[in-house]
Amino acid sequence: MNSTENMDHQLYIHNTASRKKELFEPISPPFTGMYVCGPTVYGDPHLGHARPAITFDLVYRYLLHLGYKVRYVRNITDVGHLVADLDEGEDKIAVRARLEQLEPMEIAQYYADRYFIYMDSLNVKRPSIEPRASGHIIEQILMVQKILDAGYAYEVNGSVYFDVEKYSRTYEYGKLSGRVLEDLMSNTRSLEGQDEKRNAADFALWKNAQPEHIMRWPSPWGDGFPGWHLECSAMSTKYLGDYFDIHGGGMDLLFPHHESEIAQCQAAIGHESVKYWLHNNMVTINGQKMGKSLGNFITLEEFFTGTHASLKQAYSPMTIRFFILQAHYRSTLDFSNEALQAAEKGLKKLLAGYETLGRLPLPLPLPKQGGEASPPTPLPGGEGRICDLRDACYSAMNDDFNSPMVIAALFEGVRIINSAADKTEILTEAETEMLKEIFDTFLFEILGIKNEKGGDNQGVLDGLMQLILAIRQKSRETKDWGTSDQIRDALQKLHITVKDGKEGSSWGTE
RNA sequence: GGUUUCGUGGCCGAGUGGCUAGGCAGCGGUCUGCAAAACCGUGUACAGCGGUUCGACUCCGCUCGAAACCUCCA
């Protein structure tokens, strides 16, 4: 659907900053800027990485559908995160490099590639720009300098720290996450390098690198590396401007990461840079966050191959995607085999419904009476029923991207399709077309579900199946059930399911 | 301890001040050579205790329980 007119839709999004749903009004429509915190590439992507990627893919896809010109920026963090419990504030990437005797950039490249491969398989659209922190050291140094010039940072022994206490005299550090500065001052745990800070709540903008530290860059304050909140501030404003529309990320980044981004931009630029803050909730396993540090994560590769001890079977990328979209992005989502299996079956039903729709015979005009063909009997409930379904999909998306409600509406569509196939309801040609459009738009374009069957050999496969089913039909007509069942069982082993209906047999792949 | 959020039927998961979410599983039926699929029917679920209200699962308070963040994590 082409549609600048779609922008007339009133899209409401939940802004973490105000904790309310707000009408989405881009700063300079139709252009829209969106920045999302991407992965730190020092490990294989797991289910936790899939959540924000899919969540903001949904946002991206819907904004595009509405006709906005979106520039979507998602960073790759390949430098900058300090490891607190190791000496010298060693960089995470560098730690892995030493263990595996590889160059840090080799590690970053390897895992970034892995990330792309798995996000592609989840049908996550690639962002417009995927900047790397290591490629923006100059921008980060310039930003540190601006913050120093503005008087909200201080240098100690080649490191530069943000002066939270001074910043708080004019601005409100903690407004995004609801923290109170006094608590932060007293409750922040003692860390290495603490003695250099004036206050416990201060955070590093630039860290001096010890001689053995391999990831290092020259700066006005000596050789070192950027603090971990800095890259997002530097890269988001570089590519989206000083004030842009949407900043997204996981809820676990709210504090201190996003809180500090706000402070950095305020200090360096003179105003905040983000209009709408969006945060996705966590994926949990046994009620606990699935994360690297807890060691309870399951990688996407393990899901796809079924090779993790907690998995009863393999789950396809689309099952994972559908599973995530069945929950609202701001709810926690608990992993379990039962939930995943339910998602798998539900998705299969949805896709089967779409296939049935494509095969639905058009209603035959009733026999001519007096030279006039009677029009097909309209659906019970009136012609508007399919329109209502489409409206329900839009309403759901406009209400803070409520994908579970979209899915519920699509299931209602499947019910109607199947009833039509069973001849208990009649769909007009126009209604059939509209249903097809709803599925194409919402299931495939916006929810980003990919119909995994098909491909180059689809035409050959269709022809072969037609032939096989014709032969089987002959054996059925002579009540040769042995041959009939033999064909069905053999096909089942190839994951092709034969369904015998009143109008003959049909087939589907799993 | 503080901040933020949450507690919905066997499981997952929406939503709302009075009217069916939806999926999966179960049960009954229709269809079918058998099977699968599909369709129809089927569940007085909203942590507990108070309060506001004609009426609360939905608003307010308290209690209990859970999670995220306060240290790298999506």
Side-chain angles (χ1 to χ4, degrees):
Chain A
M1 182 186 282
N2 118 29
S3 42
T4 33
E5 81 221 30
N6 279 343
M7 275 191 276
D8 294 340
H9 280 279
Q10 303 261 295
L11 169 62
Y12 284 83
I13 64 183
H14 180 95
N15 190 347
T16 312
S18 65
R19 298 188 181 83
K20 282 182 190 145
K21 283 178 191 169
E22 296 177 7
L23 180 63
F24 178 62
E25 294 174 305
I27 295 157
S28 8
F31 300 100
T32 302
M34 176 161 86
Y35 185 89
V36 173
C37 291
T40 302
V41 282
Y42 67 103
D44 239 21
H46 58 75
L47 189 60
H49 292 99
R51 185 106 196 246
I54 289 171
T55 294
F56 293 103
D57 188 49
L58 178 74
V59 172
Y60 182 41
R61 285 166 178 271
Y62 192 56
L63 291 175
L64 289 175
H65 173 77
L66 292 184
Y68 292 110
K69 310 279 184 223
V70 187
R71 180 179 293 162
Y72 175 19
V73 180
R74 186 180 62 198
N75 66 305
I76 298 284
T77 298
D78 55 357
V79 61
H81 284 204
L82 298 172
V83 172
D85 51 349
L86 288 174
D87 295 342
E88 317 305 335
E90 205 166 11
D91 191 283
K92 269 193 171 168
I93 304 276
V95 172
R96 278 307 288 269
R98 184 165 306 167
L99 289 173
E100 301 184 12
Q101 299 295 305
L102 293 167
E103 271 298 317
M105 285 309 253
E106 198 175 358
I107 300 274
Q109 182 73 50
Y110 175 78
Y111 285 116
D113 286 349
R114 302 270 296 166
Y115 181 78
F116 292 141
I117 289 168
Y118 286 102
M119 292 308 131
D120 284 350
S121 68
L122 289 169
N123 207 24
V124 170
K125 278 182 187 283
R126 299 253 182 143
S128 325
I129 304 176
E130 294 187 274
R132 290 169 192 244
S134 62
H136 296 76
I137 301 297
I138 290 170
E139 286 83 352
Q140 295 179 73
I141 289 173
L142 286 173
M143 192 154 199
V144 174
Q145 193 59 60
K146 278 188 192 169
I147 298 171
L148 274 169
D149 292 346
Y152 291 111
Y154 54 90
E155 187 204 336
V156 183
N157 301 330
S159 294
V160 182
Y161 295 97
F162 193 91
D163 192 338
V164 172
E165 192 275 325
K166 180 168 180 195
Y167 175 85
S168 296
R169 287 181 214 159
T170 313
Y171 307 105
E172 199 184 341
Y173 185 81
K175 63 195 279 187
L176 184 67
S177 54
R179 310 288 157 129
V180 180
L181 187 64
E182 288 71 42
D183 296 339
L184 291 173
M185 302 279 218
S186 54
N187 286 342
T188 304
R189 202 169 73 172
S190 283
L191 292 173
E192 177 272 328
Q194 178 100 314
D195 48 342
E196 290 184 348
K197 295 185 192 174
R198 291 181 188 166
N199 271 300
D202 292 351
F203 56 90
L205 295 172
W206 185 264
K207 274 295 264 187
N208 172 254
Q210 298 298 309
E212 62 273 23
H213 199 99
I214 2 179
M215 296 193 95
R216 58 197 300 138
W217 290 267
S219 84
W221 317 283
D223 281 10
F225 51 93
W228 71 285
H229 307 308
L230 198 59
E231 60 174 285
C232 290
S233 293
M235 296 192 289
S236 62
T237 53
K238 174 179 171 107
Y239 294 111
L240 299 175
D242 284 352
Y243 188 51
F244 58 94
D245 301 292
I246 295 172
H247 188 133
M251 264 183 191
D252 50 350
L253 297 178
L254 244 162
F255 188 91
H257 187 54
H258 292 158
E259 198 70 70
S260 299
E261 277 188 55
I262 290 176
Q264 286 168 343
C265 287
Q266 178 68 256
I269 300 168
H271 56 79
E272 290 185 26
S273 57
V274 176
K275 187 166 183 187
Y276 304 98
W277 284 95
L278 270 69
H279 291 93
N280 63 277
N281 217 133
M282 302 292 101
V283 174
T284 59
I285 178 165
N286 298 321
Q288 262 203 326
K289 172 181 169 182
M290 184 181 284
K292 187 112 184 139
S293 58
L294 292 166
N296 61 355
F297 63 95
I298 304 175
T299 67
L300 292 171
E301 181 175 50
E302 287 165 338
F303 272 105
F304 299 165
T305 55
T307 49
H308 190 277
S310 309
L311 299 176
K312 288 184 181 155
Q313 60 169 88
Y315 298 98
S316 75
M318 282 308 108
T319 298
I320 300 291
R321 183 172 180 113
F322 188 69
F323 170 67
I324 287 173
L325 291 172
Q326 265 190 312
H328 185 84
Y329 75 93
R330 283 189 291 109
S331 302
T332 53
L333 175 61
D334 199 53
F335 154 83
S336 72
N337 280 282
E338 291 76 8
L340 241 13
Q341 283 162 359
E344 183 178 56
K345 286 193 178 178
L347 177 59
K348 194 175 162 188
K349 184 174 176 176
L350 228 36
L351 291 173
Y354 181 74
E355 263 184 63
T356 304
L357 181 63
R359 283 199 291 262
L360 222 48
L362 291 175
L364 298 169
L366 297 174
K368 287 187 179 182
Q369 293 172 342
E372 293 285 322
S374 310
T377 314
L379 213 56
E383 298 176 340
R385 191 141 73 133
I386 308 298
C387 285
D388 290 348
L389 222 49
R390 189 178 58 185
D391 291 346
C393 289
Y394 276 111
S395 301
M397 285 305 293
N398 289 334
D399 185 15
D400 196 29
F401 311 101
N402 197 324
S403 51
M405 285 192 75
V406 173
I407 290 170
L410 293 175
F411 273 115
E412 173 61 14
V414 168
R415 216 211 85 246
I416 293 171
I417 291 165
N418 285 331
S419 292
D422 275 8
K423 304 272 199 285
T424 56
E425 287 185 22
I426 293 173
L427 282 170
T428 64
E429 187 172 353
E431 288 169 333
T432 305
E433 278 307 304
M434 188 179 284
L435 269 171
K436 190 166 186 315
E437 183 201 306
I438 290 171
F439 273 73
D440 286 340
T441 301
F442 285 95
L443 184 60
F444 300 116
E445 181 191 332
I446 294 173
L447 295 184
I449 295 298
K450 189 168 55 180
N451 214 340
E452 281 169 320
K453 59 183 288 187
D456 296 341
N457 289 324
Q458 189 62 38
V460 176
L461 184 60
D462 283 341
L464 282 172
M465 284 307 301
Q466 209 176 338
L467 175 65
I468 291 168
L469 290 181
I471 293 169
R472 179 164 174 273
Q473 187 55 36
K474 282 197 173 178
S475 68
R476 281 164 57 79
E477 281 163 11
T478 58
K479 298 202 191 301
D480 178 4
W481 307 124
T483 305
S484 167
D485 290 353
Q486 184 191 353
I487 291 171
R488 186 174 66 195
D489 294 347
L491 287 173
Q492 190 59 57
K493 283 185 181 164
L494 299 170
H495 303 292
I496 295 172
T497 306
V498 176
K499 301 168 198 170
D500 298 326
K502 279 181 183 170
E503 312 290 320
S505 306
S506 62
W507 62 281
T509 53
E510 283 175 9

